[in-house]
Amino acid sequence: MLKGKFIVLGVTGSIAAFKGAELASKLTQAGALVDVIMTKSAMEFIAPLTFRSLTHRPVATDLFAPDSELSLEHVALAERADVMVVAPATANFIAKLALGLADDLLSCTILATKAPVIVVPAMDSGMYENPVTQENVAKLRSRDFVIAGPTAGHLASGISGMGRMLEVEELLGIVRQVLGRKGDLRGKKIVVTAGGTQEPIDPVRHISNRSSGKMGYALVEAARDRGATVTLIATPVALKDPAGVEVVHVNTASEMREAVLKACSGADALLMAAAVADYAPIKPAGQKIKKGQGTLILELKKTPDILSEVKGKIVKVGFAAESENLVANAQKKLRQKKLDFIVANDITSKGSGFASDTNRVTIINRAGKAEDLPLMLKTELAGLILDSVAKLLKRS
Ligand code: CTP
């Protein structure tokens, strides 16, 4: 989605300017056309050549540059930007924006643009927490600037506190989310579950399955990038929380049930990609179970069927990982759980099991008609699944 997008990246005078360079590089690698504007103080920390080398595009630094290829640089850049990002944004620059000052190329461009502007604060915690900075940030927020971060953590001053610039991966998610605001799922609320539930046996052990969460996370990012408001309900997985979505962390099937039922009130679609344990120990031991002489018998109870419990005007999509009778088993689940469609995959087929980046699935629609899809990346498959969701939502 970043391919061919014009992104104006403003860099101001903070030690976090090196992260701005990383952002410029990642955006360029993703196919965006990144025009960097640096303030004078930014150039004390990092050279324009760094950005020119990373973006393969000229870097603008001077409001009065006589030899610029653009006749009125701030107007030209402001007009062609799909999104503007100020990363890092200092307390001083945020104050300038709050006042509407336009005394350098970057502030002029922001004042002139109609594109969304993402401001990424980076500063010492004292400066960030100062009421005047807080007031300025609130002012920008009320004028529809997107304020990304900061977070708490290690600061260049040596202390730990609030003011650390967001990491680049997270910023990429926010840029994609802002660019996707006009997507075909805008205004839609989508709930996605991901990962495998964990049912405790005792304080150190649990029953779980091999779900990696990759399919669910791919759906979350794709839905966010198409303008949806997304809630992800995730079990512990080795994937980072996606930026720009609400994430609810759960462990057990019963916690997932509670979170799903809550998130689904007022939602347009539920994509139940999580592998939910069908059975859980009746009563998890309070203390670690000690090794005995004979065999150990664990008594299990059935967990709630979450998908079946979700009712009302909501598009419901199920996932079925099968090892035999793929279509028949999936059709049965489709009917029993009253789904709009089900995405079924044969876990014995090459490249489409748990933890894989690819999947080969059969999609079965409400009428029970099965369509085989070729092996593809889970990220691509997420796009196709959302195409079907978008179609169903348009009809409803
Ligand atoms: N599912 C659910 N609640 C459960 C079990 C499963 O909501 N307690 C959802 C899954 O998230 C998935 C779909 O139902 O979207 C099918 O899951 P699966 O485990 O294949 O179905 P089961 O009904 O549990 O059937 P079985 O395990 O016997 O194949």
Side-chain angles (χ1 to χ4, degrees), residues 272-274 276-278 303-307 317-322 333 337:
M272 197 74 197
V276 185
D278 290 331
T303 57
D305 192 303
I306 305 171
L307 258 179
V317 181
F319 291 77
E322 304 291 344
K333 287 174 190 173
K337 300 178 195 239

Side-chain angles (χ1 to χ4, degrees), residues 119-231:
V119 174
V120 189
M123 65 196 74
D124 163 69
S125 60
M127 292 171 89
Y128 181 69
E129 280 155 10
N130 191 307
V132 73
T133 305
Q134 288 300 309
E135 245 171 59
N136 290 335
V137 168
K139 228 184 229 177
L140 294 187
R141 216 175 252 129
S142 73
R143 289 190 206 138
D144 282 343
F145 283 78
V146 177
I147 309 294
T151 55
H154 172 79
L155 301 173
S157 57
I159 61 161
S160 196
M162 198 66 180
R164 191 177 155 85
M165 181 171 152
L166 282 194
E167 295 305 325
V168 168
E169 280 306 316
E170 206 163 335
L171 289 175
L172 286 172
I174 294 168
V175 171
R176 294 163 71 110
Q177 180 194 27
V178 170
L179 282 171
R181 276 176 178 176
K182 294 189 196 118
D184 61 348
L185 293 173
R186 71 181 173 281
K188 301 293 179 202
K189 193 176 162 213
I190 296 189
V191 181
V192 182
T193 65
T197 61
Q198 300 182 343
E199 312 300 331
I201 296 171
D202 69 15
V204 290
R205 305 178 179 97
H206 61 244
I207 297 176
S208 192
N209 57 67
R210 290 170 49 212
S211 173
S212 65
K214 283 183 183 170
M215 190 65 241
Y217 276 61
L219 285 164
V220 166
E221 300 207 334
R224 175 202 64 197
D225 294 352
R226 286 164 73 157
T229 303
V230 186
T231 302

Side-chain angles (χ1 to χ4, degrees), residues 5-332:
K5 291 285 189 305
F6 280 103
I7 298 180
V8 174
L9 172 64
V11 183
T12 70
S14 154
I15 182 61
F18 73 94
K19 284 196 194 168
E22 197 191 336
L23 179 62
S25 167
K26 287 276 158 57
L27 289 170
T28 306
Q29 284 174 44
L33 302 156
V34 184
D35 287 311
V36 175
I37 304 178
M38 298 180 75
T39 63
K40 222 172 171 180
S41 44
M43 287 187 285
E44 297 286 337
F45 288 94
I46 192 163
L49 181 62
T50 305
F51 287 100
R52 204 172 76 205
S53 310
L54 293 170
T55 63
H56 316 294
R57 297 170 71 80
V59 173
T61 56
D62 187 358
L63 183 56
F64 307 107
D67 53 353
S68 163
E69 58 179 43
L70 301 163
S71 55
L72 269 173
E73 217 151 18
H74 63 290
V75 178
L77 289 171
E79 271 178 9
R80 86 172 166 207
D82 291 302
V83 62
M84 286 193 68
V85 189
V86 186
T90 59
N92 180 60
F93 195 76
I94 288 172
K96 265 171 50 165
L97 287 185
L99 276 176
L101 292 184
D103 63 349
D104 61 14
L105 184 56
L106 183 56
S107 49
C108 278
T109 311
I110 292 175
L111 210 56
T113 195
K114 290 202 167 57
V117 182
I118 302 170
V119 174
V120 189
M123 65 196 74
D124 163 69
S125 60
M127 292 171 89
Y128 181 69
E129 280 155 10
N130 191 307
V132 73
T133 305
Q134 288 300 309
E135 245 171 59
N136 290 335
V137 168
K139 228 184 229 177
L140 294 187
R141 216 175 252 129
S142 73
R143 289 190 206 138
D144 282 343
F145 283 78
V146 177
I147 309 294
T151 55
H154 172 79
L155 301 173
S157 57
I159 61 161
S160 196
M162 198 66 180
R164 191 177 155 85
M165 181 171 152
L166 282 194
E167 295 305 325
V168 168
E169 280 306 316
E170 206 163 335
L171 289 175
L172 286 172
I174 294 168
V175 171
R176 294 163 71 110
Q177 180 194 27
V178 170
L179 282 171
R181 276 176 178 176
K182 294 189 196 118
D184 61 348
L185 293 173
R186 71 181 173 281
K188 301 293 179 202
K189 193 176 162 213
I190 296 189
V191 181
V192 182
T193 65
T197 61
Q198 300 182 343
E199 312 300 331
I201 296 171
D202 69 15
V204 290
R205 305 178 179 97
H206 61 244
I207 297 176
S208 192
N209 57 67
R210 290 170 49 212
S211 173
S212 65
K214 283 183 183 170
M215 190 65 241
Y217 276 61
L219 285 164
V220 166
E221 300 207 334
R224 175 202 64 197
D225 294 352
R226 286 164 73 157
T229 303
V230 186
T231 302
L232 164 65
I233 298 164
T235 65
V237 287
L239 302 169
K240 270 204 190 142
D241 283 358
V245 311
E246 187 195 355
V247 187
V248 183
H249 293 282
V250 296
N251 287 292
T252 65
S254 105
E255 287 168 12
M256 182 169 278
R257 170 187 174 270
E258 205 173 301
V260 167
L261 293 180
K262 188 165 168 233
C264 281
S265 98
D268 297 287
L270 166 64
L271 311 180
M272 197 74 197
V276 185
D278 290 331
Y279 293 94
I282 284 190
K283 198 172 180 306
Q287 302 300 330
K288 188 180 168 202
I289 298 172
K290 288 292 177 195
K291 190 161 50 189
Q293 286 304 318
T295 52
L296 173 74
I297 295 173
L298 274 178
E299 219 181 329
L300 306 177
K301 63 174 182 215
K302 228 172 168 176
T303 57
D305 192 303
I306 305 171
L307 258 179
S308 301
E309 281 194 42
V310 175
K311 298 196 172 87
K313 201 172 166 293
I314 182 169
V315 168
K316 287 203 296 180
V317 181
F319 291 77
E322 304 291 344
S323 58
E324 57 180 355
N325 303 328
L326 180 76
V327 174
N329 278 331
Q331 279 170 333
K332 198 169 145 202

